[in-house]
Amino acid sequence: MKKIIRDTCLLASLMILAVFTFSIIWSGITAEIALVLELFGLSLIISIANYIYDEYISLSIIMTYIVKYFAITGIVMLFGFILGWFYPSNFWMAFIYVGIVLVLAYSIDSFKVKRDIDYINSRIAGRDSEQ
């Protein structure tokens, strides 16, 4: 399931970028195109931050989720303030947006991990029964 969702998102991203490339060539950058490109940029920054975090920091799984939540929320807030997405009066919306996306992403990831654990355990059980 995760592979299908990932492949769908990658294909949709490529389609959006291809269509927007032609739109930019013909009519320039509109507000809608600028927003989507800003979201792609934010996604890149968050992906790089997650990669760096995963490579260099080792905490318990709960602490990892908590630290990532606050780090990503901070990135979204900073990016949002720079680009004018948030005003000082509604900055708290970043906590909600990031929370919803992270809950969905980590839920999908936990299902995959659970399936991988079950598969590995079945392979180990099969190996033990052969001996």
Side-chain angles (χ1 to χ4, degrees):
M1 183 66 168
K2 183 179 178 183
K3 182 179 176 358
I4 292 171
I5 292 172
R6 185 191 71 222
D7 290 349
T8 301
C9 290
L10 287 172
L11 180 59
S13 297
L14 290 173
M15 291 167 56
I16 289 167
L17 290 175
V19 169
F20 282 3
T21 299
F22 288 106
S23 294
I24 291 169
I25 291 170
W26 297 118
S27 60
I29 295 180
T30 63
E32 295 83 11
I33 293 173
L35 176 62
V36 172
L37 294 176
E38 290 167 358
L39 290 172
F40 272 101
L42 177 60
S43 298
L44 176 66
I45 291 169
I46 290 172
S47 295
I48 291 169
N50 269 329
Y51 175 78
I52 291 169
Y53 179 88
D54 290 339
E55 288 294 315
Y56 297 107
I57 298 174
S58 178
L59 297 172
S60 69
I61 195 156
I62 298 297
M63 284 304 296
T64 295
Y65 289 154
I66 291 169
V67 169
K68 280 187 176 184
Y69 172 73
F70 285 108
I72 291 171
T73 301
I75 291 169
V76 169
M77 279 185 185
L78 179 63
F79 203 80
F81 283 128
I82 291 170
L83 295 175
W85 294 349
F86 301 114
Y87 301 105
S89 62
N90 70 347
F91 73 93
W92 54 269
M93 292 173 65
F95 287 99
I96 294 171
Y97 294 147
V98 171
I100 291 169
V101 171
L102 286 181
V103 164
L104 292 173
Y106 289 129
S107 295
I108 292 168
D109 194 43
S110 68
F111 291 130
K112 168 82 167 85
V113 169
K114 171 85 169 95
R115 191 176 55 210
D116 289 347
I117 289 170
D118 291 343
Y119 174 76
I120 291 168
N121 285 338
S122 70
R123 296 287 299 208
I124 291 171
R127 190 180 316 163
D128 288 342
S129 65
E130 291 176 7
Q131 293 178 4

